[in-house]
Amino acid sequence: MRRFARFYGANPLHLLAVLFTFALAGYAVAVVGPQNLWNQDVWWKSIAVWFLGAVIAHDLVLFPLYALADRSLTSGLNALRGRRTSRPQSVSALNYIRVPALASGLTLLLFLPGIIEQGADAYLAATGLTQEPFLDRWLLLTATFFAVSAVAYAARLALSRKDGDTVSGS
């Protein structure tokens, strides 16, 4: 097992998961049909082009941006901890900021067309409603994510102080 992990670089279950993911993707392409992934009339409306664009946008633009944001958050929290030498930090706040920020970003990505009122006429015709509440609802959802995270952090901090143990890590 160690020999395999040293050769492959991870646990065999990781390899199994990767192979399963590729098999699932291959099955999806086989069911949909490769010809349906490419639009002969308008090339930029092809699923393959949008998928490739999403991969490039994520790997070359978004990943460096949120890696930089995470590095800045980690550095900022470490700097704050360095100033507070009177009492040690027992619970790291890092994941209590990361998780709601990720959830907020994903819901923004999901609801962005509604927030910027893209396709407002089609939405109005299909539902009889306007897209005005999308921004307010997304902001409320984001505030809720951070509020729930803050309550969870406060509860965890209180429990760790009551127990007297220190929890390390992020």
Side-chain angles (χ1 to χ4, degrees):
M1 191 72 100
R2 287 184 185 184
R3 186 181 212 175
F4 178 82
R6 190 171 49 244
F7 173 73
Y8 176 65
N11 191 309
L13 288 176
H14 180 269
L15 177 62
L16 186 64
V18 169
L19 291 175
F20 175 74
T21 304
F22 281 128
L24 183 63
Y27 175 73
V29 169
V31 167
V32 170
Q35 71 279 3
N36 293 326
L37 298 176
W38 185 258
N39 186 340
Q40 298 287 341
D41 301 328
V42 186
W43 68 270
W44 62 269
K45 289 186 177 179
S46 300
I47 293 172
V49 171
W50 279 90
F51 181 75
L52 184 63
V55 168
I56 291 170
H58 176 266
D59 291 352
L60 296 180
V61 178
L62 293 178
F63 180 75
L65 285 176
Y66 61 73
L68 178 66
D70 187 62
R71 176 77 49 111
S72 300
L73 177 63
T74 305
S75 298
L77 287 174
N78 287 339
L80 283 175
R81 283 187 202 125
R83 286 188 221 145
R84 293 184 193 166
T85 54
S86 59
R87 65 181 171 99
Q89 184 77 15
S90 60
V91 177
S92 175
L94 194 57
N95 284 339
Y96 293 94
I97 297 171
R98 278 182 183 156
V99 171
L102 176 65
S104 177
L106 289 175
T107 56
L108 175 64
L109 185 64
L110 182 65
F111 294 115
L112 185 63
I115 291 171
I116 63 173
E117 298 185 12
Q118 179 183 10
D121 297 334
Y123 187 81
L124 181 63
T127 65
L129 303 170
T130 66
Q131 293 176 317
E132 279 183 32
F134 275 65
L135 176 61
D136 295 338
R137 290 177 183 167
W138 175 75
L139 290 171
L140 183 63
L141 191 60
T142 297
T144 304
F145 289 149
F146 279 97
V148 168
S149 184
V151 168
Y153 177 67
R156 176 115 185 258
L157 195 60
L159 286 174
S160 72
R161 286 188 180 155
K162 187 176 104 175
D163 293 342
D165 37 89
T166 57
V167 178
S168 62
S170 48

